[in-house]
Structures are given as C-alpha cells and as structure tokens.
Amino acid sequence: FSALLTGVLVALVMPPGIPWFTLVIAVFVAVVIVKEVMGGLGRNIFNPALFGFVSLRLLQRVLG
C-alpha cells in the first residue's frame, strides 16, 4: 500500500481546484520515478510525495 499512501499524500499537498490530470502526473512522478528509480521501497533519498509536488510546480513554472 506504499504507492497508495504516496498518492494520497500528493493529493493532500496539492492546492484545491487543481485539474485531475496534473494530479495524475504528480503521482506518476512520485511513484514511478522517485520510489522505483531513486532507491526502491523504503530507501528513498527524497520524500516521494513532496518530490512529485515540487516537480509539478517546477513544470508549471517552466510551461507558463
């Protein structure tokens, strides 16, 4: 249930009224990239939920 918990945490740190597809992108980044590529389950060097949030915010700034 680790991926489910990460998805819930990402949803909790997002501002209200955010489109659903941006939330899906943030959860994908958090679960697939951070959890799996950067260390696996339990060995993350960053908090996956916050990394997904920050990466989405940076992407929004870059795209406009």
Side-chain angles (χ1 to χ4, degrees), residues 26-62:
V27 170
F28 178 80
V29 168
V31 172
V32 174
I33 295 175
V34 179
K35 276 191 155 316
E36 297 303 322
V37 175
M38 293 188 182
L41 294 174
R43 296 191 185 103
N44 306 101
I45 58 175
F46 301 112
N47 183 327
L50 292 179
F51 192 89
F53 173 73
V54 169
S55 64
L56 184 67
R57 300 299 278 186
L58 288 173
L59 183 65
Q60 285 177 341
R61 263 197 208 260
V62 169

Side-chain angles (χ1 to χ4, degrees), residues 3-20 22-28 30-31 47-54 56:
L4 179 67
L5 178 64
T6 301
V8 169
L9 290 174
V10 169
L12 288 174
V13 298
M14 290 294 169
I18 192 166
W20 66 270
T22 56
L23 186 61
V24 170
I25 293 170
V27 170
F28 178 80
V31 172
N47 183 327
L50 292 179
F51 192 89
F53 173 73
V54 169
L56 184 67

